[in-house]
Structures are given as structure tokens and as C-alpha cells.
Amino acid sequence: MRLSQMLFVTLREDPAEAEIPSHKLLVRAGYMRRIGSGVYAYLPFLWRVLQKISQIVREEMNAAGAQECLLTQLQPSELWKESGRWETYTKAEGIMFALTDRQGRELGLGPTHEEVITTIARDMIRSYRQLPLNLYQIQTKFRDEIRPRFGLMRGREFIMKDAYSFDADEAGMKESYRKMHDAYHNILRRCGLAFRAVDADSGAIGGSGSQEFMVLADAGEDEVLYTEDGKYAANVEKAISLPPDLEKSSFKKYEKLDTPNTPTIASLCEFLKCSATQILKNVLYQVTYDNGMSVLVLVSIRGDQDVNEVKLQNELVKLAGNYGGSAVIGLTVPSAEAQQEWAAKPLPLGYIAPDLSDDHIKPSKTLAPKFLRLVDKTAVELENFVTGSNESGHHVVGANWGKEFELPSLIIDVRKATAGDRAVHDPSQTLQSARGIEIGHIFQLGTRYSVALGATYTNEQGEEVPLLMGCYGIGVSRLAQAAVEQSYDKDGIIWPVAIAPYQAIVVIPNVNDTDQVSAAEVIYSELNRVGIETLLDDRDERAGVKFKDSELVGIPYRIVTGRSIQQGKVEVVKRATKETEEISIHEVVPIFKRWIDEAMNANNVNP
Ligand code: ATP
Ligand code: MG
């Protein structure tokens, strides 16, 4: 393409809407335009990038034996009612855009496609002979995200590849999952990204396993914990570790002490000259279930540790049935206003003991009358511990479970693993922390959807049993931006060659110089002829502007037909390193072919 004939508009200034470098650069370089909150138009350069990523995804999915299809974006509410997700998705979480058609029928705009694919499987898969199967699509998804941000990273309309596998048994499902795991490795490697596969939280879906593929970048919304030996990596939401050793309590006798102005663990340690590991901390949460019922939760945990709210939420989902609910729609530390609503008398905040009396609660139709008391595993082994006294300005010391306090019957693991903790698989390894952008998520779903929608098949013994499923997503548009977040400099984007919109750009410094123009024209058509995707900057602009633009846009290789064409030479520049050399015009094609091959193959090598 000739730039003079393209929609090519670059901006000097950072757009006000953008916070992170990749978002700023993609807007400045003319790749995309914001149309509304979380909604972006993909302009021609970006569309080429997205198609290249899609093609890599397609090749690897096909190689893994999956088949491409295209499912419907309009999804009848009945399917979602069958799976039990309509209410949560449209009301409680509100992530699904829902609408009513002119006949009064309710529909949702597909945020994901488990319901649709499972309906198809129910209708079409009859026998074990048809298994295994894996279907995928690359399509626009719609999600009414609470906080759309960072451009393509968290959009309300975005491109996803989603695949769904169907197997006869658990072993088959695991094999399908393994194939997808390997395909995802290949995809990210071929796209030229530095990434890590990590253990992930599978939330309410449960299932036996899930992993996320994280592209490592400081702007990532997720925290990854990993060990140097490469044997452990997990999203912090899911991560496990060994807690630091417990220090023996210096308190021998149970007593209540005056501890003025010690509402925090740090202030209490300072005052009592004790270790935070000897303190029992009691943290108050308020959970709301999908039936509108709220419950006040008191979590007792070791003073030096924090609660992992994702783990806590998973535990609370398991207990939903006790309160007539099935899903959690809110989990908060109750604010002062929330406390005003339910507190029958002031709470001794900062001085709460595990036996805080239930008469602090003013029960109602939507609020359980008793605290739900949970204790983290690490707090069970405490002896002679320090904790609140339910009276401001006072703590008790030398306390013991089974003596002064009754040990809650619900013992759970809700401790948050943190960088610096020792690893479970090898205590000599300590957890390190990195930021990541979640690009893909693969799940073993089991029979969650097949049972709900009645998708069964007849096995070899002639019995009708539910299909075992897996689901596998990649954020194609998020991946494009993540690649930029991982690779840019002060002058602009540095695309990995495999997904760059064009591989080369020929710049004519002076379009009024006919020698420069004709040399450029020859090189431009020659490169395109041999399959190197090449742009020609033939605009009537100053050379400096053109160089700046080519750097901003991030085309990997630049050819300049400057003064040296008199000696039959051109200047070539590598975008990533800015290395410059003069080469003879005849060498351009073979050298570029070699560079591009090398760059693409570098990504194919196993790390
Ligand atoms: P997140 O935790 O980031 O919201 P998710 O767990 O909701 O992601 P999935 O439902 O597993 O994501 O979707 C599969 C992939 O789709 C994700 O790994 C991510 O790459 C991409 N994705 C999800 N939500 C968005 C979004 N709002 N904008 C762009 N890409 C997204
Ligand atoms: Mg999400």
C-alpha cells in the first residue's frame, strides 16, 4: 500500500483517554479510534494485526484437531435459564447485554458460548463414536464490564477465540485440555510474546483444573507468583505457599490488657512487643447472595497474614445453600454506612474477638441474624495468642482455642500467598512476583453444562451419560495490545515481526527527486512481489516526519532511498534496535527475506 492513498493519521500528543503506553501508542499511531465506552473501531493497520493473530490461532487450533465454526451472537434467554446463568449474568453480575425483541422475547448478546455450544452438542452428539470433538470460533464478544479500561485490554466489545471440547470421559477431557495447553504455548510463542502459563482460579465453575496464559508486562492487571526453578507459577488469586514460621508466644497467662490506640496489627505488635504471628486477627466481611440475602462473615486469621478474597468468595459460594442462595453477587468489607444499617450497637472495630456477640446484628428479612464464623488453617495452631476483647482499647493475651474461645467449625484455607513466602513444592524456593496480562484461560469444565442442559451421549456400554467438556478462550484483541505493552520505546511501537501490520516500509525522503522515487518504486514492488508485505511512504512530507511516523507505527524494517542511491545503495534500519546499514539495492530482497525468516523462526524455537 501507498501511504498517500491510505487513511493514515498520526497524533503528536497522547490522547487524554489513555492511561497505559500501549493504549496511547495504538491511538496515536492511528490503529484504532474510541467510539464509545469500551468500544473501539479497529482501523486498517490494526485489522491486519488482528487477522495475523487470528491466522496463527487458527493454524494452531486446526493442528490440534479443532474445527472452526461461527456461533450466534444473539442468544435466546431460554438457553441461559437452562444453565442457570440468566439471572446472574443479566442482573446480579450484569455482564451480559440483554434485550427484548419486537415479539417480546428476551435475548442476550453473547459474552461467551457454553450454552449455545452445549445445545448443539445435545442435538447432534449421540454416540461415543463421535467423540472426541473440539469446536472453535473467532468472534466478537459483548460484555458490559463494570470498568472498561486500557483500550482493547478491557473492552465491552472485543474479539475472542473460544473453543469447546467434548469427551467421553475424564481422561479424554484431560487429553483435550493438554492439546489446547500446548496449542496456546505455540500461539503465544509464534506471536513473539514473553508469557507464562499459571494455575488459575476457576471460580464458581469449579472443575478439576484451569490455567491462565499471562503475558508479562508491568501494566498487567494480574499478579503472578512463581518460583525461579520454573516448577510453580500461579495467579495470586489461586496461589498457595507455606506461611512464615510461627513464633512462640511470649504470653503464658490469659489476661485482658489495656492497649490504647492499637487498632492495627502493626500498632499492636509495637505496643505489646510481640510478633504478628502470635496475633489472631478477626476480619469482618459482608457477603450478598443472589437471592438478596446478606450474611456477616467473621474470618479469623493469623495477624501477619491477609485474606485472599477470591478464595474466601469460593468458600462462601459453597455455603450459599445454607442461606437459600446459589451464587455470590457481592463481597465487601462493610463500610461505615453499611454498618449503620445493620449494627444494633457500635462495633469494637480494631478490637474484635472471634466470639463477637451476634446481638451486634439487627436482623432483617435480607440479613442473617448470626455471624458466619470462619477460621483460616494458619490460625488453628495458634497457642497463647493475642486477640481483640470486643472492647475498644483492650486486647486479650495468652488466649487458647477450646479454652477462652471456641474454635469455629468451619476451618478453611483463605490465606493470601505473597511474594517472599516459601514454596510448597520446595521450601528452599521463595515466591517471586510479576505483573501479567491474562491473554488466555483454559478450563476443564467437566459436566457442569452438559448436566444442566441435558447434553448426553451413549457410551460403549450402551448407557446414556453426560458429555465431559472443556472451554478455552484467547483474547485476540487483548493480545494485540498486550504485544505493544510488551514491546515499545520512546518513539513508538516495536511489533514482533509475525504480527506486524506490514513487515517493511520504503521511505522516499524527497518525493520531488525522481531518482529517489523510481528506486523506491522498484524496491517496493519487488518486495511485495516476493511476498514481503511492504508499505511505500510516498507522501509529500518532510523526511523527518516520515521517519517519525514509521517508528511510531512500528514497522520492523525500513528502507530509505536517500542520497546513496547514486552509488546504487539504500539505507536500511531495523526498528527494534535502530541499527542502520547501507546495502546495495540488489541485496534488499535477499537480506530482508533472511531477516524476516530469522525473526519468525526465533519465535518457533522452544524456550
Ligand atoms: P478477566 O479476568 O480479564 O475479566 P475473564 O476471566 O473474564 O477475564 P474469560 O471469560 O476466560 O476471561 O475470557 C477469555 C479471554 O478473553 C480472557 O483470557 C481475555 O484474554 C479475553 N477477555 C475477557 N474479557 C475481556 C474484555 N473485556 N476485553 C478484552 N478481552 C477480554
Ligand atoms: Mg472478565
Side-chain angles (χ1 to χ4, degrees), residues 89 95 111-112 143 145 151-161 212-213 221-222 237 437-443 472-479:
Y89 268 63
I95 194 98
T112 178
R143 291 187 184 181
E145 297 278 356
L152 304 179
M153 294 287 193
R154 188 168 295 284
R156 296 200 302 158
E157 180 181 323
F158 59 96
I159 302 175
M160 195 202 287
K161 184 286 300 177
E212 287 164 339
F213 285 78
E221 289 185 288
D222 287 282
E237 295 175 351
I437 301 166
E438 180 200 320
I439 288 302
H441 198 166
I442 59 176
F443 275 100
Y472 317 92
I474 286 193
V476 171
S477 46
R478 186 184 279 185
L479 192 158

Side-chain angles (χ1 to χ4, degrees), residues 416-449:
K416 186 173 175 188
T418 49
D421 284 353
R422 291 163 304 157
V424 173
H425 75 277
D426 174 359
S428 73
Q429 293 279 321
T430 48
L431 297 186
Q432 317 279 317
S433 166
R435 304 299 304 179
I437 301 166
E438 180 200 320
I439 288 302
H441 198 166
I442 59 176
F443 275 100
Q444 296 178 19
L445 287 174
T447 57
R448 156 80 178 85
Y449 294 93

Side-chain angles (χ1 to χ4, degrees), residues 41 47 63 129 141 258 351 380:
W47 185 237
R129 290 194 195 88
K141 293 278 189 277
D258 263 6
Y351 302 88
V380 175

Side-chain angles (χ1 to χ4, degrees), residues 342-353:
W342 58 259
K345 52 184 180 181
L347 292 164
L349 295 175
Y351 302 88
I352 292 178

Side-chain angles (χ1 to χ4, degrees), residues 129-146:
R129 290 194 195 88
Q130 293 168 277
L131 300 173
L133 263 187
N134 189 333
L135 296 177
Y136 76 96
Q137 60 171 346
I138 299 174
Q139 192 195 52
T140 297
K141 293 278 189 277
F142 298 92
R143 291 187 184 181
D144 195 0
E145 297 278 356
I146 300 178

Side-chain angles (χ1 to χ4, degrees), residues 59 133 175 228 382 413 493:
E59 285 169 16
L133 263 187
E175 178 58 12
E228 294 286 3
L382 290 180
D413 170 21
I493 299 169

